[in-house]
Amino acid sequence: MLPLARSVSRKRARLVLCTLVLLAAPAGTGITAARSEERGAMEDREAATRAFEEGERAYRAGDFSRAAERFEEAYRKAPHPAPLWNAARSWNKAGEIARAANGYARYLREAPEGAPDRDEAGKALAELATKLGRIEVFAPEAQDVRVDDQPLEGSSVYVHPGTHVIKGRMRGISVQRTEVLEAGSVRSVALVVEEIVSAPNDVPKEPPREPPRPIVKPQRPSAPIPTAPRADKPWLVPALVASGAATLVSTGLLVWSGVDTLNARSDYDAGRTWDKYYDGRDKQFRTNVLIGVSLGLGAITGALGSIWLVGRSGKDVKVGSGAQDAVRRSEAPSVELKITPPVLGGPAFVGATGSF
């Protein structure tokens, strides 16, 4: 509390001194303007005194944010280092360490060398600087320089750790930079406008040069691209699946019928009657029919499977009927499938021949 009271006494002494100087000003031709300026200065001094006293009361009441705002108002009305010192101490007690650091820095810039509070302000600023970052802005031609939308006072500002935006206007162009600061770090930011310097008009321009022609290298004939297997038989796979299923069913029925026929033969041998004879002959006929059907379905399934397998490798397939068909040979690979159906009780034959 003592530094605050000491600042108050210095402030009041300065106000009294300024008042005496203005009252003792000599009269002259500009006496009316002087009185007007004196009246305005007097009003500002009175407003500064009221703001300073309000700051004192708020500081004693523990409302440090209010005290800092009133001290800063007193400085704006009548600039003097004393309100800056009191505002910085108030912001520090309010927990606003960035504002406190900037207040101490401004006080050190404006306070005279022999000010008794300079050493204490320097120590307080050094302690707060370890918790904050500092941005040094180089913008000699920029106007309305702001850091996080706050006007920049001086050439540097203390900020909390994190991301901060520095922007200004130069020659009507908005310039913006973004910096990320850590505690205790310092960043130097230059606000400049990058310009493209055009050549003078009196410099002779070189005639446009013809662009170099590309050198075309002879290309080797590319190797033939292998063609994918033809898919011009969409019915093949469904037919193969259906034929295979039918072959399995027919084979199963054939096995069942054969076993049933053998059982009927055993019954007939055990006791021969006309009923058992006709029953066994019907079962034998049924078995013979199933043999023929199974062989035919097996031949068809084998033929379709051969076509499917050969088709996957891109080979042409020819299907013929008759045991005497000859294999056509040519320069291209070919396969011929020969199916000999049972004729007049002869055995069925399925064969595949070809040239590769």
Side-chain angles (χ1 to χ4, degrees):
M1 189 64 74
L2 290 178
L4 182 62
R6 187 166 58 249
S7 299
V8 172
S9 62
R10 289 200 305 270
K11 172 63 179 177
R12 290 177 177 173
R14 181 176 177 81
L15 291 177
V16 173
L17 179 61
C18 292
T19 303
L20 292 176
V21 171
L22 289 175
L23 291 176
T29 56
I31 188 170
T32 303
R35 288 179 177 176
S36 177
E37 293 178 359
E38 178 185 354
R39 188 180 303 109
M42 183 66 70
E43 291 177 355
D44 289 340
R45 287 194 298 272
E46 291 177 355
T49 302
R50 288 193 299 270
F52 198 93
E53 292 175 351
E54 290 175 3
E56 285 184 297
R57 290 193 294 270
Y59 189 91
R60 295 190 188 97
D63 191 356
F64 300 111
S65 297
R66 170 71 176 173
E69 293 174 355
R70 300 315 297 160
F71 286 135
E72 290 180 348
E73 178 66 17
Y75 175 82
R76 284 191 292 269
K77 294 296 182 180
H80 190 269
L84 292 177
W85 162 256
N86 292 332
R89 286 177 55 84
S90 300
W91 283 127
N92 197 4
K93 287 185 173 295
E96 298 285 347
I97 60 174
R99 288 188 172 186
N102 289 315
Y104 285 129
R106 188 168 185 180
Y107 170 77
L108 292 173
R109 289 196 303 267
E110 298 189 11
E113 291 295 332
D117 298 320
R118 285 189 63 88
D119 293 340
E120 188 173 352
K123 293 178 182 178
L125 179 59
E127 181 181 355
L128 293 178
T130 60
K131 306 175 184 179
L132 302 169
R134 182 161 59 94
I135 300 176
E136 296 180 348
V137 181
F138 176 76
E141 300 180 2
Q143 299 175 353
D144 190 22
V145 179
R146 292 175 175 266
V147 178
D148 298 334
D149 291 331
Q150 296 297 325
L152 177 65
E153 298 177 354
S155 61
S156 65
V157 62
Y158 287 90
V159 294
H160 291 281
T163 303
H164 300 276
V165 178
I166 306 96
K167 59 184 177 180
R169 295 190 64 82
M170 301 180 63
R171 304 176 189 177
I173 301 175
S174 178
V175 183
Q176 179 174 311
R177 299 288 185 270
T178 302
E179 292 290 337
V180 179
L181 283 82
E182 299 177 353
S185 62
V186 179
R187 292 286 187 275
S188 297
V189 179
L191 292 181
V192 295
V193 177
E194 298 178 358
E195 296 181 349
I196 301 176
V197 181
S198 59
N201 296 330
D202 55 351
V203 177
K205 297 182 180 180
E206 296 182 1
R209 298 180 181 179
E210 182 180 358
R213 298 181 179 179
I215 301 175
V216 181
K217 296 182 180 180
Q219 298 181 354
R220 297 181 180 179
S222 58
I225 301 175
T227 58
R230 295 175 298 177
D232 54 353
K233 300 181 180 63
W235 51 267
L236 181 59
V237 174
L240 178 60
V241 173
S243 177
T247 302
L248 292 177
V249 173
S250 176
T251 303
L253 293 175
L254 173 61
V255 173
W256 167 78
S257 180
V259 173
D260 192 29
T261 301
L262 292 177
N263 292 334
R265 178 60 182 269
S266 299
D267 293 339
Y268 176 76
D269 292 338
R272 297 187 176 186
T273 62
W274 287 107
D275 293 335
K276 293 181 179 180
Y277 172 77
Y278 289 118
D279 182 60
R281 189 178 65 177
D282 293 338
K283 292 181 178 180
Q284 180 65 50
F285 177 77
R286 181 188 62 195
T287 301
N288 293 338
V289 171
L290 289 174
I291 291 174
V293 171
S294 298
L295 289 176
L297 291 175
I300 294 173
T301 303
L304 294 175
S306 299
I307 296 173
W308 178 74
L309 289 174
V310 175
R312 285 176 61 86
S313 61
K315 302 294 189 301
D316 292 329
V317 179
K318 298 180 181 180
V319 180
S321 62
Q324 304 300 326
D325 291 343
V327 178
R328 298 180 181 179
R329 299 183 180 274
S330 61
E331 294 181 0
S334 62
V335 175
E336 183 174 359
L337 180 67
K338 297 185 295 183
I339 304 175
T340 304
V343 180
L344 298 178
F349 175 78
V350 179
T353 61
S355 61
F356 296 86

